[in-house]
Amino acid sequence: MRVILALCTLFLIAGPCMANGPADSSSAVKVFRSGEPFEDVVDNIKMAIVERGLLVSGTLHVSDMLNRTAPDLGYAEVFAKAESVEFCSALISHKMAQAAPENIAICPFTIAVYVKQTDAEQVYVAYRSPHLAGKGKEVADEIIALMEGIIEDSI
């Protein structure tokens, strides 16, 4: 539940997006736009992950949970649709742990796909930019390249 709430918070602070590119390279959350249908983008992301020899460890149905609980908590519905795809890489996880053991908290990686209630025609894709402890800059760059490669192949 905490992971879902954290993801939801990240969605809300993502900010404005540029077409098919990240909103701001210094932002904690990188957001992209897609011209493809929501379901296709989710499926494409899963396929791009598997094609890289990685395993999808889970899919979180974020909008289902938020929309179900919004009325009881006094919130408006933010998402028409929202899912987060989780996965990890053993190779990158080892590199993160070598840089600093606490970096293991970064795994699994998550790519979120969502459609806002207020912008029902636009599909967004977002991920958290990694900020690693220790000497993890090279590994963080590798994670960014992986995430953006998956997204670029999917949108």
Side-chain angles (χ1 to χ4, degrees), residues 19-144:
N20 295 328
D24 175 1
S25 62
S26 65
S27 176
V29 178
K30 306 293 171 94
V31 183
F32 299 76
R33 294 178 186 232
S34 176
E36 300 296 320
F38 175 85
E39 290 79 9
D40 290 351
V41 175
V42 172
D43 289 342
N44 290 347
I45 286 171
K46 291 177 182 178
M47 190 176 348
I49 291 167
V50 170
E51 286 175 351
R52 286 166 171 76
L54 306 173
L55 178 68
V56 173
S57 57
T59 301
L60 304 172
H61 304 282
V62 179
S63 59
D64 292 349
M65 183 273 298
L66 288 177
N67 293 345
R68 183 182 68 251
T69 59
D72 293 337
L73 297 173
Y75 291 104
E77 292 183 3
V78 175
F79 302 107
K81 300 176 188 174
E83 292 187 10
S84 293
V85 179
E86 295 181 326
F87 65 99
C88 209
S89 161
L91 178 61
I92 293 175
S93 292
H94 279 289
K95 291 178 181 181
M96 290 188 313
Q98 294 298 313
E102 57 271 25
N103 286 332
I104 201 64
I106 300 298
C107 214
F109 307 127
T110 304
I111 297 176
V113 182
Y114 60 97
V115 176
K116 300 175 190 178
Q117 289 283 0
T118 59
D119 192 8
E121 300 301 315
Q122 182 62 63
V123 175
Y124 296 89
V125 180
Y127 75 92
R128 286 171 289 174
S129 183
H131 298 282
L132 301 179
K135 297 182 180 191
K137 170 84 172 90
E138 287 181 24
V139 182
D141 290 344
E142 191 174 342
I143 295 167
I144 291 169

